[in-house]
Coordinates of all heavy atoms in Angstrom, one line a residue:
M129 N -181.3 52.3 28.1 CA -180.5 51.1 28.3 C -181.2 50.1 29.3 O -181.7 50.5 30.3 CB -179.1 51.5 28.9 CG -178.3 50.4 29.5 SD -176.9 50.1 28.4 CE -176.1 48.9 29.5
V130 N -181.2 48.9 28.9 CA -181.8 47.8 29.7 C -180.8 47.3 30.7 O -179.6 47.1 30.4 CB -182.3 46.7 28.8 CG1 -182.9 45.6 29.6 CG2 -183.2 47.2 27.8
K131 N -181.3 47.0 31.9 CA -180.4 46.4 33.0 C -181.1 45.3 33.6 O -182.3 45.4 34.0 CB -180.0 47.4 34.0 CG -179.1 46.9 35.1 CD -178.3 47.9 35.7 CE -177.4 47.4 36.9 NZ -176.5 46.4 36.6
I132 N -180.5 44.1 33.6 CA -181.1 43.0 34.3 C -181.0 43.2 35.8 O -180.0 43.4 36.3 CB -180.3 41.7 33.9 CG1 -180.3 41.5 32.4 CG2 -180.9 40.5 34.6 CD1 -181.6 41.2 31.7
K133 N -182.2 43.1 36.5 CA -182.2 43.4 37.9 C -181.9 42.2 38.8 O -181.2 42.4 39.8 CB -183.7 43.8 38.2 CG -184.1 45.0 37.5 CD -185.6 45.3 37.7 CE -186.1 46.3 36.6 NZ -187.4 46.1 36.2
D134 N -182.3 41.0 38.4 CA -182.1 39.8 39.3 C -182.2 38.6 38.4 O -182.4 38.7 37.2 CB -183.0 39.8 40.4 CG -184.5 39.9 40.0 OD1 -184.8 39.4 38.9 OD2 -185.3 40.4 40.8
N135 N -182.0 37.4 39.0 CA -182.0 36.2 38.3 C -183.4 35.9 37.6 O -183.5 35.4 36.5 CB -181.7 35.0 39.2 CG -181.3 33.8 38.4 OD1 -180.5 33.9 37.5 ND2 -181.9 32.7 38.8
A136 N -184.5 36.3 38.3 CA -185.8 36.1 37.7 C -185.9 36.9 36.4 O -186.5 36.5 35.4 CB -186.9 36.5 38.7
H137 N -185.5 38.2 36.5 CA -185.5 39.0 35.3 C -184.6 38.5 34.2 O -185.0 38.5 33.0 CB -185.1 40.5 35.7 CG -185.3 41.5 34.6 ND1 -184.4 42.5 34.5 CD2 -186.2 41.6 33.7 CE1 -184.8 43.2 33.5 NE2 -185.8 42.7 32.9
Y138 N -183.5 37.9 34.6 CA -182.6 37.3 33.6 C -183.3 36.1 32.9 O -183.3 36.0 31.7 CB -181.4 36.8 34.4 CG -180.4 35.9 33.6 CD1 -179.6 36.4 32.7 CD2 -180.4 34.6 33.9 CE1 -178.7 35.6 32.0 CE2 -179.5 33.7 33.2 CZ -178.7 34.2 32.3 OH -177.8 33.4 31.6
E139 N -183.9 35.3 33.7 CA -184.6 34.1 33.1 C -185.8 34.5 32.2 O -186.0 34.0 31.1 CB -185.2 33.2 34.3 CG -184.1 32.5 35.1 CD -183.3 31.5 34.3 OE1 -183.8 30.9 33.4 OE2 -182.1 31.4 34.6
D140 N -186.5 35.5 32.6 CA -187.6 36.1 31.8 C -187.1 36.6 30.5 O -187.7 36.4 29.4 CB -188.4 37.2 32.6 CG -189.3 36.6 33.7 OD1 -189.5 35.4 33.7 OD2 -189.7 37.4 34.6
T141 N -186.0 37.3 30.6 CA -185.4 37.9 29.4 C -184.9 36.8 28.4 O -185.1 36.9 27.2 CB -184.2 38.9 29.8 OG1 -184.7 39.9 30.6 CG2 -183.6 39.5 28.5
L142 N -184.3 35.8 29.0 CA -183.9 34.6 28.1 C -185.1 34.0 27.4 O -185.1 33.7 26.2 CB -183.2 33.6 28.9 CG -181.8 33.9 29.4 CD1 -181.2 32.8 30.3 CD2 -180.8 34.2 28.2
K143 N -186.2 33.8 28.1 CA -187.4 33.2 27.5 C -188.0 34.1 26.4 O -188.4 33.7 25.4 CB -188.5 33.0 28.6 CG -188.2 31.8 29.5 CD -189.2 31.7 30.6 CE -188.8 30.7 31.6 NZ -189.7 30.7 32.8
E144 N -188.0 35.4 26.7 CA -188.5 36.4 25.8 C -187.7 36.4 24.5 O -188.2 36.3 23.4 CB -188.5 37.8 26.4 CG -188.9 38.9 25.4 CD -188.7 40.3 25.9 OE1 -187.8 40.5 26.7 OE2 -189.4 41.2 25.4
L145 N -186.3 36.3 24.6 CA -185.5 36.3 23.5 C -185.7 35.0 22.7 O -185.6 35.1 21.4 CB -184.0 36.5 23.9 CG -183.6 37.8 24.4 CD1 -182.1 37.9 24.8 CD2 -183.8 38.9 23.3
K146 N -185.9 33.9 23.3 CA -186.1 32.7 22.6 C -187.4 32.8 21.8 O -187.5 32.4 20.6 CB -186.2 31.5 23.6 CG -186.5 30.2 23.1 CD -185.3 29.6 22.4 CE -185.6 28.1 22.0 NZ -184.9 27.7 20.9
A147 N -188.5 33.3 22.4 CA -189.7 33.5 21.7 C -189.6 34.4 20.5 O -190.1 34.2 19.4 CB -190.8 34.0 22.6
L148 N -188.9 35.5 20.7 CA -188.7 36.5 19.6 C -187.9 35.9 18.5 O -188.1 36.2 17.3 CB -187.9 37.7 20.2 CG -188.8 38.6 21.1 CD1 -187.9 39.8 21.6 CD2 -190.0 39.2 20.4
E149 N -186.9 35.0 18.8 CA -186.1 34.4 17.8 C -187.0 33.5 16.9 O -186.9 33.5 15.7 CB -185.0 33.5 18.5 CG -184.2 32.7 17.5 CD -183.1 31.8 18.2 OE1 -182.8 32.1 19.4 OE2 -182.7 30.9 17.6
E150 N -187.9 32.8 17.5 CA -188.8 31.9 16.7 C -189.7 32.8 15.8 O -189.9 32.5 14.7 CB -189.6 31.0 17.6 CG -188.8 30.0 18.4 CD -188.1 29.0 17.4 OE1 -188.6 28.6 16.4 OE2 -186.9 28.8 17.7
Q151 N -190.3 33.8 16.4 CA -191.1 34.7 15.6 C -190.4 35.4 14.5 O -190.9 35.5 13.4 CB -191.7 35.8 16.5 CG -192.7 35.3 17.6 CD -193.1 36.4 18.5 OE1 -192.5 37.5 18.5 NE2 -194.0 36.1 19.4
T152 N -189.2 35.8 14.8 CA -188.4 36.4 13.7 C -188.1 35.5 12.6 O -188.1 35.9 11.4 CB -187.0 37.0 14.4 OG1 -187.4 37.9 15.4 CG2 -186.2 37.7 13.3
K153 N -187.8 34.2 12.9 CA -187.6 33.3 11.8 C -188.8 33.2 10.9 O -188.6 33.1 9.6 CB -187.3 31.9 12.4 CG -185.9 31.7 13.0 CD -185.7 30.3 13.6 CE -184.4 30.2 14.3 NZ -184.3 28.9 14.9
E154 N -190.0 33.2 11.5 CA -191.2 33.1 10.7 C -191.4 34.4 9.8 O -191.8 34.3 8.7 CB -192.4 32.9 11.6 CG -192.4 31.5 12.2 CD -192.4 30.4 11.2 OE1 -193.1 30.4 10.2 OE2 -191.6 29.4 11.4
M155 N -191.1 35.5 10.4 CA -191.2 36.8 9.7 C -190.2 36.9 8.6 O -190.5 37.4 7.5 CB -191.1 38.0 10.7 CG -192.3 38.2 11.5 SD -192.0 39.6 12.5 CE -192.4 39.0 14.1
Q156 N -189.0 36.3 8.8 CA -188.0 36.3 7.8 C -188.4 35.5 6.6 O -188.1 35.8 5.5 CB -186.7 35.8 8.4 CG -185.5 35.9 7.4 CD -185.2 37.4 7.0 OE1 -185.1 38.3 7.8 NE2 -185.2 37.6 5.6
K157 N -189.1 34.4 6.9 CA -189.6 33.5 5.8 C -190.6 34.3 4.9 O -190.6 34.2 3.7 CB -190.3 32.3 6.3 CG -189.4 31.3 6.9 CD -190.2 30.1 7.4 CE -189.3 29.1 8.1 NZ -190.0 28.0 8.7
V158 N -191.5 35.1 5.6 CA -192.4 35.9 4.8 C -191.7 37.0 4.0 O -192.0 37.2 2.8 CB -193.4 36.6 5.8 CG1 -194.3 37.6 5.1 CG2 -194.3 35.6 6.5
L159 N -190.7 37.6 4.6 CA -189.9 38.6 3.9 C -189.2 38.0 2.7 O -189.1 38.5 1.6 CB -188.9 39.3 4.8 CG -188.0 40.4 4.2 CD1 -188.9 41.5 3.6 CD2 -187.1 40.9 5.2
D160 N -188.6 36.8 2.9 CA -188.0 36.1 1.8 C -188.9 35.8 0.7 O -188.6 35.9 -0.5 CB -187.3 34.8 2.3 CG -186.2 35.0 3.2 OD1 -185.6 36.1 3.3 OD2 -185.8 34.0 3.9
E161 N -190.2 35.5 1.0 CA -191.2 35.2 0.0 C -191.5 36.5 -0.8 O -191.5 36.5 -2.0 CB -192.5 34.7 0.7 CG -193.6 34.4 -0.3 CD -193.4 33.2 -1.2 OE1 -192.6 32.3 -0.8 OE2 -194.0 33.1 -2.2
Y162 N -191.6 37.6 -0.1 CA -191.8 38.9 -0.7 C -190.7 39.2 -1.7 O -190.8 39.7 -2.8 CB -192.0 40.1 0.3 CG -193.3 40.2 1.0 CD1 -193.3 40.6 2.3 CD2 -194.5 39.9 0.3 CE1 -194.5 40.7 3.0 CE2 -195.7 40.0 1.0 CZ -195.7 40.4 2.3 OH -196.9 40.6 3.0
N163 N -189.5 39.0 -1.2 CA -188.3 39.3 -1.9 C -188.1 38.4 -3.1 O -187.3 38.7 -4.0 CB -187.0 39.2 -1.0 CG -187.0 40.4 -0.1 OD1 -187.6 41.4 -0.3 ND2 -186.3 40.2 1.0
S164 N -188.8 37.3 -3.2 CA -188.6 36.4 -4.3 C -189.3 36.9 -5.6 O -189.1 36.4 -6.6 CB -189.1 35.0 -3.9 OG -190.5 34.9 -3.8
Y165 N -190.2 37.8 -5.4 CA -190.9 38.4 -6.5 C -190.2 39.6 -7.1 O -189.7 40.4 -6.3 CB -192.4 38.8 -6.1 CG -193.2 37.6 -5.7 CD1 -193.4 37.3 -4.4 CD2 -193.8 36.8 -6.7 CE1 -194.2 36.2 -4.0 CE2 -194.6 35.7 -6.3 CZ -194.8 35.4 -5.0 OH -195.5 34.4 -4.6
N166 N -190.2 39.7 -8.4 CA -189.5 40.8 -9.0 C -190.4 42.1 -9.0 O -189.8 43.2 -8.9 CB -189.1 40.5 -10.5 CG -188.0 39.4 -10.6 OD1 -187.2 39.4 -9.7 ND2 -188.1 38.6 -11.6
D167 N -191.7 41.9 -9.1 CA -192.5 43.0 -9.2 C -193.7 42.8 -8.3 O -194.7 42.1 -8.7 CB -193.0 43.2 -10.7 CG -193.7 44.5 -10.9 OD1 -193.5 45.5 -10.2 OD2 -194.5 44.6 -11.8
L168 N -193.7 43.4 -7.2 CA -194.8 43.3 -6.2 C -195.8 44.5 -6.4 O -195.4 45.6 -6.7 CB -194.3 43.4 -4.8 CG -193.5 42.3 -4.2 CD1 -193.0 42.6 -2.8 CD2 -194.4 41.1 -4.1
P169 N -197.1 44.2 -6.3 CA -198.1 45.3 -6.3 C -197.8 46.2 -5.2 O -197.1 45.9 -4.2 CB -199.4 44.6 -6.0 CG -199.2 43.1 -6.3 CD -197.7 42.9 -6.1
D170 N -198.2 47.5 -5.3 CA -197.8 48.5 -4.3 C -198.2 48.1 -2.9 O -197.4 48.4 -2.0 CB -198.5 49.8 -4.7 CG -197.9 50.5 -5.9 OD1 -196.8 50.1 -6.3 OD2 -198.6 51.4 -6.5
E171 N -199.4 47.5 -2.7 CA -199.8 47.1 -1.4 C -198.9 46.1 -0.8 O -198.5 46.3 0.4 CB -201.2 46.5 -1.5 CG -201.8 46.1 -0.1 CD -203.2 45.5 -0.2 OE1 -204.0 46.0 -1.1 OE2 -203.4 44.6 0.5
L172 N -198.4 45.1 -1.5 CA -197.5 44.2 -1.0 C -196.1 44.8 -0.8 O -195.4 44.4 0.1 CB -197.4 42.9 -1.9 CG -198.6 42.1 -1.9 CD1 -198.4 40.9 -2.9 CD2 -199.0 41.5 -0.6
E173 N -195.7 45.7 -1.7 CA -194.4 46.4 -1.5 C -194.4 47.2 -0.2 O -193.4 47.2 0.5 CB -194.2 47.3 -2.7 CG -192.9 48.0 -2.7 CD -191.7 47.1 -2.9 OE1 -191.8 46.1 -3.5 OE2 -190.6 47.4 -2.4
D174 N -195.5 47.8 0.1 CA -195.7 48.6 1.4 C -195.6 47.6 2.5 O -194.9 47.9 3.5 CB -197.0 49.3 1.4 CG -197.0 50.5 0.5 OD1 -196.0 51.0 0.0 OD2 -198.2 51.0 0.2
M175 N -196.2 46.5 2.5 CA -196.2 45.5 3.5 C -194.7 45.0 3.7 O -194.3 44.8 4.8 CB -197.1 44.3 3.3 CG -198.6 44.7 3.4 SD -199.8 43.5 2.8 CE -199.5 42.2 4.0
R176 N -194.1 44.7 2.6 CA -192.7 44.3 2.7 C -191.8 45.3 3.4 O -191.0 45.0 4.2 CB -192.2 44.0 1.2 CG -190.7 43.4 1.2 CD -190.2 43.3 -0.2 NE -189.8 44.6 -0.7 CZ -188.6 45.1 -0.6 NH1 -187.7 44.4 0.1 NH2 -188.3 46.3 -1.1
N177 N -192.0 46.6 3.0 CA -191.2 47.6 3.6 C -191.5 47.8 5.1 O -190.6 48.0 5.9 CB -191.4 49.0 2.9 CG -190.8 48.9 1.5 OD1 -189.9 48.2 1.2 ND2 -191.4 49.8 0.6
Q178 N -192.7 47.6 5.5 CA -193.1 47.7 6.9 C -192.5 46.6 7.7 O -192.0 46.7 8.8 CB -194.6 47.7 7.0 CG -195.3 48.9 6.6 CD -196.8 48.8 6.6 OE1 -197.4 47.9 7.2 NE2 -197.5 49.8 6.1
L179 N -192.4 45.4 7.0 CA -191.8 44.2 7.7 C -190.3 44.4 7.8 O -189.8 44.1 8.9 CB -192.1 43.0 6.9 CG -191.6 41.6 7.4 CD1 -192.1 41.4 8.9 CD2 -192.0 40.5 6.6
I180 N -189.7 45.0 6.8 CA -188.3 45.3 6.9 C -188.0 46.3 8.1 O -187.1 46.0 8.9 CB -187.7 45.9 5.6 CG1 -187.7 44.8 4.5 CG2 -186.3 46.5 5.8 CD1 -187.4 45.3 3.1
E181 N -188.8 47.3 8.2 CA -188.6 48.3 9.3 C -188.9 47.6 10.6 O -188.1 47.9 11.6 CB -189.6 49.5 9.1 CG -189.2 50.4 7.9 CD -190.3 51.4 7.6 OE1 -191.2 51.6 8.5 OE2 -190.2 52.0 6.5
F182 N -189.9 46.8 10.7 CA -190.2 46.1 12.0 C -189.0 45.2 12.4 O -188.6 45.2 13.6 CB -191.5 45.3 11.8 CG -191.8 44.6 13.1 CD1 -192.5 45.2 14.1 CD2 -191.5 43.2 13.2 CE1 -192.8 44.5 15.3 CE2 -191.8 42.5 14.4 CZ -192.4 43.2 15.4
L183 N -188.5 44.5 11.5 CA -187.4 43.6 11.8 C -186.1 44.3 12.2 O -185.4 43.9 13.0 CB -187.1 42.6 10.6 CG -188.1 41.6 10.4 CD1 -187.9 40.8 9.1 CD2 -188.2 40.6 11.5
E184 N -185.9 45.5 11.6 CA -184.8 46.3 12.0 C -184.9 46.8 13.4 O -184.0 46.8 14.2 CB -184.6 47.5 11.1 CG -184.1 47.2 9.7 CD -184.1 48.3 8.7 OE1 -184.7 49.4 9.0 OE2 -183.6 48.1 7.6
R185 N -186.2 47.3 13.8 CA -186.4 47.7 15.2 C -186.3 46.5 16.1 O -185.7 46.7 17.2 CB -187.8 48.3 15.3 CG -188.0 49.7 14.7 CD -189.3 50.4 15.0 NE -190.5 49.6 14.8 CZ -191.1 49.5 13.6 NH1 -190.7 50.2 12.6 NH2 -192.2 48.8 13.5
R186 N -186.8 45.4 15.7 CA -186.7 44.2 16.6 C -185.2 43.8 16.8 O -184.8 43.4 17.9 CB -187.4 43.0 16.0 CG -187.2 41.7 16.8 CD -188.1 40.6 16.5 NE -189.4 40.9 17.0 CZ -190.4 40.0 17.0 NH1 -190.2 38.9 16.5 NH2 -191.5 40.4 17.6
K187 N -184.4 43.9 15.8 CA -183.0 43.6 15.9 C -182.3 44.5 17.0 O -181.6 44.0 17.8 CB -182.3 43.8 14.6 CG -180.8 43.7 14.6 CD -180.3 42.3 14.4 CE -178.8 42.2 14.2 NZ -178.1 41.9 15.3
K188 N -182.7 45.8 16.9 CA -182.1 46.7 18.0 C -182.6 46.3 19.4 O -181.8 46.3 20.3 CB -182.5 48.1 17.7 CG -181.9 48.7 16.4 CD -182.4 50.1 16.1 CE -181.8 50.6 14.8 NZ -182.3 51.9 14.5
Y189 N -183.9 45.9 19.5 CA -184.4 45.5 20.7 C -183.7 44.3 21.3 O -183.3 44.2 22.4 CB -185.9 45.2 20.5 CG -186.6 44.8 21.8 CD1 -187.2 45.7 22.7 CD2 -186.8 43.4 22.1 CE1 -187.9 45.3 23.8 CE2 -187.5 43.0 23.2 CZ -188.0 43.9 24.1 OH -188.7 43.5 25.2
V190 N -183.5 43.3 20.4 CA -182.9 42.1 20.8 C -181.4 42.3 21.2 O -180.9 41.8 22.2 CB -183.0 41.0 19.7 CG1 -182.0 39.8 19.9 CG2 -184.4 40.5 19.6
D191 N -180.7 43.2 20.4 CA -179.3 43.5 20.7 C -179.2 44.1 22.1 O -178.3 43.8 22.8 CB -178.8 44.4 19.6 CG -178.5 43.8 18.3 OD1 -178.5 42.5 18.2 OD2 -178.3 44.5 17.3
E192 N -180.1 45.0 22.4 CA -180.1 45.7 23.8 C -180.2 44.6 24.9 O -179.5 44.7 25.9 CB -181.2 46.7 23.9 CG -181.0 48.0 23.1 CD -182.2 48.9 23.2 OE1 -183.2 48.6 23.9 OE2 -182.1 49.9 22.5
R193 N -181.2 43.7 24.7 CA -181.4 42.6 25.7 C -180.2 41.7 25.8 O -179.8 41.3 26.9 CB -182.6 41.8 25.4 CG -183.9 42.4 26.1 CD -184.5 43.5 25.4 NE -185.5 44.2 26.2 CZ -185.6 45.5 26.0 NH1 -184.8 46.2 25.2 NH2 -186.5 46.2 26.6
E194 N -179.6 41.4 24.6 CA -178.4 40.5 24.7 C -177.2 41.2 25.4 O -176.5 40.5 26.1 CB -178.0 40.1 23.2 CG -179.0 39.1 22.7 CD -178.7 38.7 21.2 OE1 -178.0 39.4 20.5 OE2 -179.3 37.7 20.8
K195 N -177.1 42.5 25.1 CA -176.0 43.2 25.8 C -176.3 43.2 27.3 O -175.4 43.0 28.1 CB -176.0 44.6 25.3 CG -174.9 45.4 25.9 CD -174.8 46.8 25.3 CE -173.7 47.6 25.9 NZ -173.6 49.0 25.5
A196 N -177.5 43.4 27.7 CA -177.9 43.4 29.1 C -177.6 42.1 29.8 O -177.1 42.0 30.9 CB -179.4 43.8 29.3
I197 N -177.9 41.0 29.0 CA -177.6 39.7 29.5 C -176.1 39.5 29.7 O -175.7 39.0 30.8 CB -178.2 38.6 28.6 CG1 -179.7 38.5 28.7 CG2 -177.6 37.2 28.8 CD1 -180.4 37.7 27.7
A198 N -175.3 39.9 28.8 CA -173.9 39.8 28.9 C -173.4 40.6 30.1 O -172.5 40.1 30.8 CB -173.2 40.2 27.6
E199 N -173.9 41.8 30.3 CA -173.4 42.6 31.4 C -173.8 41.9 32.7 O -173.1 42.0 33.7 CB -174.0 44.0 31.3 CG -173.4 44.8 30.2 CD -174.0 46.1 29.9 OE1 -175.0 46.5 30.6 OE2 -173.5 46.9 29.0
Y200 N -175.0 41.3 32.8 CA -175.5 40.7 34.0 C -174.6 39.5 34.3 O -174.2 39.3 35.5 CB -176.9 40.2 33.8 CG -177.5 39.6 35.1 CD1 -177.8 40.3 36.2 CD2 -177.7 38.2 35.1 CE1 -178.3 39.7 37.4 CE2 -178.2 37.6 36.2 CZ -178.5 38.3 37.4 OH -179.0 37.7 38.5
K201 N -174.2 38.7 33.3 CA -173.4 37.6 33.5 C -172.0 38.0 34.0 O -171.4 37.4 34.9 CB -173.2 36.8 32.2 CG -174.3 36.0 31.8 CD -174.0 35.2 30.5 CE -175.1 34.2 30.2 NZ -174.8 33.4 29.0
I202 N -171.5 39.1 33.5 CA -170.2 39.6 34.0 C -170.4 40.1 35.5 O -169.5 39.8 36.3 CB -169.7 40.8 33.2 CG1 -169.3 40.3 31.8 CG2 -168.6 41.6 33.9 CD1 -169.0 41.4 30.8
E203 N -171.5 40.7 35.8 CA -171.8 41.2 37.1 C -171.8 40.1 38.1 O -171.4 40.2 39.3 CB -173.1 42.0 37.1 CG -173.5 42.7 38.4 CD -174.8 43.4 38.2 OE1 -174.9 44.2 37.3 OE2 -175.7 43.1 39.0
I204 N -172.4 39.0 37.7 CA -172.6 37.8 38.7 C -171.4 36.9 38.6 O -171.3 35.9 39.3 CB -173.9 37.1 38.5 CG1 -174.0 36.4 37.1 CG2 -175.1 38.0 38.8 CD1 -175.2 35.5 37.0
G205 N -170.5 37.2 37.7 CA -169.3 36.3 37.6 C -169.4 35.1 36.8 O -168.7 34.1 37.0
E206 N -170.4 35.0 35.9 CA -170.7 33.9 35.1 C -170.1 34.1 33.7 O -170.2 35.2 33.2 CB -172.2 33.6 35.0 CG -172.5 32.3 34.2 CD -174.0 32.1 34.1 OE1 -174.7 32.3 35.1 OE2 -174.5 31.9 33.0
S207 N -169.5 33.1 33.1 CA -168.9 33.3 31.7 C -169.8 32.8 30.7 O -170.7 32.0 30.9 CB -167.5 32.7 31.6 OG -167.6 31.4 32.0

């Protein structure tokens, strides 16, 4: 479980999440492109599956950080 230690850590986490959001949008575009094809060659199918797995792991990572941010805001009394 992630815990925000102080305001600097909070700010760093917000910046990280913003950067990850932008990267994820770009990766989702690639995934959408893969998904637009009915029949991908095996190599591209493997890459598509790896991207799906990566995005699932990233979602969990982001969710943990967002939860930590919410808990920190409660801790410091910010809504």
Side-chain angles (χ1 to χ4, degrees):
M129 164 110 172
V130 177
K131 179 152 176 65
I132 304 292
K133 300 170 193 148
D134 55 28
N135 196 50
H137 187 215
Y138 169 75
E139 293 295 327
D140 289 344
T141 302
L142 288 177
K143 288 177 189 174
E144 176 188 26
L145 289 178
K146 177 79 172 152
L148 289 175
E149 179 182 335
E150 293 301 316
Q151 292 172 353
T152 301
K153 286 179 186 177
E154 293 301 315
M155 287 184 231
Q156 186 61 52
K157 287 179 186 176
V158 172
L159 182 58
D160 292 344
E161 180 70 21
Y162 284 144
N163 288 337
S164 71
Y165 294 100
N166 291 329
D167 190 27
L168 287 174
D170 288 343
E171 181 180 323
L172 291 179
E173 183 69 27
D174 288 343
M175 290 171 68
R176 184 185 78 85
N177 291 336
Q178 289 174 9
L179 183 55
I180 290 169
E181 290 173 13
F182 178 82
L183 289 172
E184 287 172 355
R185 286 191 309 273
R186 176 167 284 189
K187 171 90 171 95
K188 290 177 185 176
Y189 179 88
V190 167
D191 288 347
E192 287 176 3
R193 266 81 193 148
E194 288 176 343
K195 183 178 178 185
I197 286 171
E199 289 173 358
Y200 181 74
K201 284 182 172 185
I202 290 169
E203 185 180 306
I204 63 170
E206 184 181 314
S207 57

